[in-house]
Amino acid sequence: MKFFRRNNQIDETQITIIEELRKKISQSGMPPHVQEIALKELDLFSKMNPSSAEYTITLTYIEYLVSLPWNKKTSDNLNLERAERILNERHYGLYEVKNRILEHLAVKILSSNKNPRILIVDDEEITRKNLEHVLKKENYDVVTAKNGVEALRLLDEQKFEIVLTDIKMEGVDGFAILEKVKAKYSNTKVIMITAYAAVDSAVEAIKRGAFHYIAKPFKIEEVKLSIKQAVEDRLSTISTKGSILCFAGPPGTGKTSIGKSIADALGRKFARISLGGIKDEAEIRGHRRTYAGAKPGRIIEEIRRTGVANPVLMLDEIDKICQDFKGDPASALLEALDPEQNYAFIDHYLDVPFDLSGVMFIVTANIPDNIQHALLDRMEIIEFSGYTEEEKKNIALKHLIPKQIAEQGLTEFPPEFTDEAILKIIQEYTREAGIRNLERMIATICRKIATEVVKGNKARNSVKITPEVVEFYLGPRRFYFEVADAKNRVGVVTGLVWTETGGDIIFVEAAKMKGKGELILTGSLGNIMKESAQAALSYVKSNSSMFGISEDTFENYDIHIHVPQGAIPKDGPSAGATIAMALISLFTNRLARRDVAITGELTLSGRILPVGGIKEKILAAKRAGVKTVIIPHRNRVDIDSLPENFKNGVEIIFMEKIGDIVDKILI
Ligand code: ADP
């Protein structure tokens, strides 16, 4: 677009642009205080030289403001049975997860069924009585107060969903009431009324958290509409108040897809923001407009993209945000997630508050322990764990295969996967807690069949997928049972670790060579793991006689502890017991059983402390072919809460101290 200025006269086109923007501003549904600012910007804009850089920046800014869904919302479909049906149809198992989600929705539904209670505060009797009469007829539960003092007393005694108050009153005024409500009931909406239709007090009221502003003389329809909006707004925020759902678990366990189903069940739009590796606060909260190329942050941008102010917004990998010199992304997130503050979230680019209280935030994390504490405090953690082989097989049969058949265009002659073929894919072509690769492998097979049909190499008949057909399409197996196929050795003990992709097995190797008692540690061990190794060595040295090791042996050797797969960083205290066993095996020269895996933190006195991720570790042990898993006695509660069939195929032994398990591992 090009503009010309002749004799300082503003070109016709520009006038049209300005008028169009003015119209868009008034139709955008922005709250009055934002409209005020937008109009001021428009005023500045109208005086700018079209060839200046500022002109384009301001134009983009105003267009961005008017494009936001300020008051556009979808209405919630609060039907618990429907939600349950959607979750069950789309997701296999995950009973605990689904129950927690349904409970969450039930609270919301219960709160929505009550008649909202309204407090009317006005010192003019006529207005008070009028409003009371009209609102009672609308089925609201109405209580009135004739002045601020009485209103404060009532607010002390009871809770109201909506407060409708005059601003200007003798003594205690509307602002004092607003302040009290905000401090006591964060979810109560306050609508302010005043005869002094000064924009200043409206702006002030909204800034301090009022929901809406009505100027006297008002039409009763206007009040009714405002109350209806306040009620709807309250409902859409109920489930986010106080607790934000955090789905925690390894990749591919269904976190994102369940989030999407929740949105569908509620009839809301869905959007996702990946937070992994975000360092710069501006990515969340936007750049100030003074920067060249300034942009709004991802939260506001996603909301704009969905076109509504109340989507389900999934924030992925909240445990992976980093903190560095470019501000603190976590604190920006905190502000977005905090129901006490997010009704006036400030994006630096927008520079005006945007109400995020209607957004239902769901966050996901691989390891919740890594989430910053301030954020964690506001979340209700729902754990997604890895799947057993049986569960994976059922998900493949009921969901993944039908989905891939449809996607690859094989609906008319669907390939028929046998149970053995699916198990072969799970065991020999994937090694994961979730089912992402399983889905990928099934997709590959379906795609190859589709290609052959198209090329004419295959008839349009349903193919039976047997283990042999799997091997034909996917090539030689990629994974082996590391443990079942390995030989027992001296100084090599199997351990279990918990990583962000689920549980995994490790082999701790210990070797000795002539030297002076030095300890060498290799294999990308983190500090905590290094300390565990030192503690394990000290423990074995100081208790050598108990294990039949002569004390002076240690002085003559250097000891090397290595954990293979050196490229993968490893840390955490849970390898302490495994390292100690590797050392005992080494110095007693007894073979260690490969198919026994240990996890547990070791103290210097040989006691074993509980560790995290037990369920994931047991799944990993089963995947690797481990027969016996030894875990700390104090982790018994984790085992007791697991379903019986989960423990099929592995023996679980509890230990209180290292001495308990020597003969279980060493031959
Ligand atoms: P995450 O977000 O945990 O990484 P996704 O939701 O992306 O996992 O899931 C990966 C794939 O697995 C998706 O296609 C999803 O539909 C499927 N999936 C995962 N869990 C289940 C389940 N319990 N039932 C049906 N499909 C599932």
Side-chain angles (χ1 to χ4, degrees):
M1 222 183 302
K2 215 168 179 180
F3 302 109
F4 301 98
R5 228 166 222 250
R6 285 181 223 108
N7 307 326
N8 269 347
Q9 289 289 305
I10 301 172
D11 181 294
E12 282 290 305
T13 331
Q14 201 184 344
I15 293 178
T16 323
I17 290 181
I18 292 166
E19 282 324 304
E20 264 178 17
L21 284 177
R22 195 183 305 281
K23 203 160 116 201
K24 280 188 189 163
I25 290 173
S26 73
Q27 291 172 348
S28 66
M30 33 174 92
H33 59 296
V34 176
Q35 225 181 76
E36 174 80 359
I37 292 168
L39 289 172
K40 270 190 196 147
E41 285 290 326
L42 186 65
D43 191 38
L44 288 176
F45 173 74
S46 65
K47 294 174 193 140
M48 285 175 186
N49 182 341
S51 58
S52 68
E54 258 183 316
Y55 179 91
T56 326
I57 292 175
T58 313
L59 177 64
T60 317
Y61 172 68
I62 300 175
E63 283 188 329
Y64 198 86
L65 277 189
V66 296
S67 71
L68 287 174
W70 292 97
N71 62 356
K72 287 199 197 83
K73 287 187 177 169
T74 47
S75 31
D76 280 351
N77 187 338
L78 293 174
N79 177 337
L80 206 58
E81 273 159 32
R82 178 170 171 273
E84 187 168 6
R85 203 185 59 239
I86 291 184
L87 289 178
N88 284 336
E89 271 170 15
R90 298 194 191 169
H91 308 273
Y92 175 87
L94 299 171
Y95 302 110
E96 181 69 25
V97 170
K98 289 178 190 165
N99 277 342
R100 298 274 296 274
I101 292 171
L102 291 171
E103 279 167 21
H104 202 81
L105 298 182
V107 171
K108 198 172 153 109
I109 291 169
L110 272 184
S111 339
S112 72
N113 285 342
K114 279 197 318 203
N115 272 353
R117 305 194 68 216
I118 303 185
L119 174 65
I120 298 172
V121 195
D122 203 310
D123 48 8
E124 268 177 37
E125 193 176 355
I126 279 262
T127 321
R128 211 165 56 231
K129 289 270 174 296
N130 249 339
L131 285 170
E132 183 179 15
H133 175 73
V134 174
L135 294 176
K136 272 194 172 155
K137 265 189 29 199
E138 296 279 306
N139 270 339
Y140 293 114
D141 227 345
V142 183
V143 176
T144 60
K146 60 179 177 304
N147 55 38
V149 178
E150 191 180 348
L152 291 185
R153 187 180 51 75
L154 282 165
L155 282 167
D156 265 333
E157 290 164 2
Q158 14 182 330
K159 183 176 175 191
F160 296 91
E161 274 78 40
I162 306 226
V163 176
L164 194 63
T165 176
D166 201 1
I167 291 191
K168 186 100 171 153
M169 288 181 293
E170 279 295 310
V172 176
D173 67 359
F175 284 113
I177 293 171
L178 174 64
E179 199 174 310
K180 170 104 185 180
V181 173
K182 284 285 130 192
K184 204 155 179 228
Y185 312 104
S186 64
N187 204 13
T188 295
K189 304 281 169 196
V190 183
I191 299 170
M192 313 287 272
I193 307 179
T194 182
Y196 304 87
V199 174
D200 282 355
S201 51
V203 172
E204 190 54 34
I206 303 285
K207 257 196 204 151
R208 296 202 202 169
F211 173 72
H212 207 197
Y213 173 89
I214 296 171
K216 271 185 193 170
F218 52 77
K219 294 205 187 79
I220 204 70
E221 286 310 313
E222 199 185 343
V223 178
K224 278 198 215 159
L225 182 71
S226 181
I227 290 183
K228 192 166 162 263
Q229 280 173 348
V231 171
E232 277 178 7
D233 207 80
R234 231 183 69 77
L235 291 183
S236 69
T237 58
I238 282 170
S239 75
T240 62
K241 293 289 169 193
S243 66
I244 287 153
L245 292 179
C246 172
F247 293 168
T253 47
K255 301 184 292 300
T256 313
S257 42
I258 277 234
K260 173 86 181 54
S261 298
I262 293 179
D264 291 345
L266 285 172
R268 290 198 185 196
K269 296 272 178 63
F270 179 78
R272 238 177 111 187
I273 299 175
S274 173
L275 299 174
I278 281 194
K279 290 193 184 118
D280 191 343
E281 189 181 340
E283 286 198 51
I284 292 171
R285 209 209 271 278
H287 296 271
R288 289 184 202 286
R289 260 181 303 144
T290 40
Y291 286 90
K295 281 193 312 197
R298 305 258 281 271
I299 293 185
I300 290 293
E301 183 49 28
E302 280 307 315
I303 287 183
R304 191 179 80 104
R305 228 176 36 82
T306 61
V308 286
N310 68 338
V312 171
L313 201 54
M314 184 165 244
L315 305 175
D316 266 337
E317 303 195 312
I318 199 157
D319 50 342
K320 308 250 169 51
I321 45 174
C322 321
Q323 207 166 354
D324 76 353
F325 61 97
K326 283 187 171 164
D328 178 5
S331 75
L333 268 184
L334 203 57
E335 218 177 291
L337 296 176
D338 185 356
E340 305 297 327
Q341 313 180 40
N342 71 3
Y343 59 84
F345 175 73
I346 302 248
D347 178 284
H348 287 154
Y349 178 80
L350 290 192
D351 209 20
V352 287
F354 189 89
D355 183 358
L356 293 181
S357 63
V359 178
M360 178 171 182
F361 286 104
I362 299 178
V363 306
T364 77
N366 290 135
I367 297 197
D369 293 357
N370 296 350
I371 302 177
Q372 299 195 9
H373 283 292
L375 284 168
L376 199 58
D377 277 352
R378 288 180 170 66
M379 291 171 189
E380 179 182 347
I381 306 276
I382 297 190
E383 287 193 13
F384 282 61
S385 53
Y387 294 115
T388 60
E389 271 178 11
E390 188 62 22
E391 285 171 325
K392 287 182 181 177
K393 190 188 83 191
N394 285 325
I395 297 175
L397 280 171
K398 294 199 170 79
H399 298 274
L400 307 181
I401 296 173
K403 184 169 145 199
Q404 289 308 325
I405 286 176
E407 278 185 16
Q408 313 297 342
L410 298 173
T411 322
E412 281 170 45
F413 38 94
E416 188 196 322
F417 283 75
T418 62
D419 282 7
E420 297 74 32
I422 300 173
L423 275 180
K424 186 176 172 80
I425 306 177
I426 295 171
Q427 292 170 349
E428 299 178 14
Y429 294 87
T430 68
R431 167 96 357 126
E432 58 183 350
I435 49 173
R436 271 201 196 154
N437 287 322
L438 175 59
E439 184 167 28
R440 214 167 281 152
M441 293 298 155
I442 292 170
T444 307
I445 294 178
C446 291
R447 200 169 47 245
K448 290 195 169 169
I449 294 174
T451 317
E452 289 191 358
V453 171
V454 173
K455 279 186 181 162
N457 297 344
K458 216 175 199 65
R460 290 174 160 263
N461 288 332
S462 291
V463 192
K464 188 164 182 169
I465 312 284
T466 58
E468 293 71 38
V469 179
V470 168
E471 193 154 342
F472 174 76
Y473 283 122
L474 297 182
R477 69 187 292 180
R478 299 190 187 175
F479 295 98
Y480 288 83
F481 283 123
E482 290 118 309
V483 163
D485 300 337
K487 269 190 12 205
N488 297 334
R489 290 183 195 282
V490 168
V492 183
V493 176
T494 309
L496 291 168
V497 288
W498 188 26
T499 71
E500 51 194 50
T501 54
D504 210 348
I505 61 159
I506 52 165
F507 298 112
V508 172
E509 302 179 346
K512 61 183 197 300
M513 50 249 162
K514 286 261 171 283
K516 296 193 225 64
E518 245 181 74
L519 177 64
I520 306 160
L521 299 167
T522 54
S524 293
L525 310 187
N527 283 340
I528 302 177
M529 199 144 162
K530 283 184 183 157
E531 285 176 5
S532 302
Q534 270 153 356
L537 178 60
S538 301
Y539 166 75
V540 175
K541 272 186 185 171
S542 58
N543 292 277
S544 53
S545 59
M546 190 168 111
F547 304 112
I549 307 167
S550 84
E551 216 171 304
D552 44 1
T553 322
F554 298 101
E555 288 160 23
N556 305 323
Y557 292 102
D558 285 344
I559 297 163
H560 186 166
I561 293 174
H562 178 67
V563 186
Q565 291 188 303
I568 303 169
K570 308 166 193 79
D571 208 1
S574 73
T578 321
I579 299 172
M581 281 314 304
L583 290 168
I584 297 168
S585 160
L586 178 72
F587 283 101
T588 55
N589 210 19
R590 287 168 72 181
L591 290 171
R593 284 179 55 185
R594 272 293 174 99
D595 59 357
V596 180
I598 321 168
T599 181
E601 179 174 354
L602 176 70
T603 67
L604 269 184
S605 60
R607 278 184 312 121
I608 306 288
L609 302 182
V611 292
I614 290 293
K615 189 172 177 193
E616 296 304 325
K617 286 175 177 174
I618 292 179
L619 283 173
K622 283 176 141 188
R623 286 200 290 275
V626 165
K627 297 282 180 310
T628 308
V629 174
I630 303 182
I631 66 170
H633 197 267
R634 279 166 56 191
N635 279 114
R636 190 170 206 128
V637 278
D638 299 287
I639 296 295
D640 291 346
S641 63
L642 295 175
E644 247 343 281
N645 63 359
F646 190 90
K647 296 168 230 170
N648 287 350
V650 274
E651 181 194 10
I652 295 169
I653 296 178
F654 299 99
M655 60 177 162
E656 285 185 68
K657 46 190 194 320
I658 279 284
D660 297 349
I661 55 166
V662 175
D663 292 329
K664 302 258 187 293
I665 298 168
L666 303 187
I667 308 172

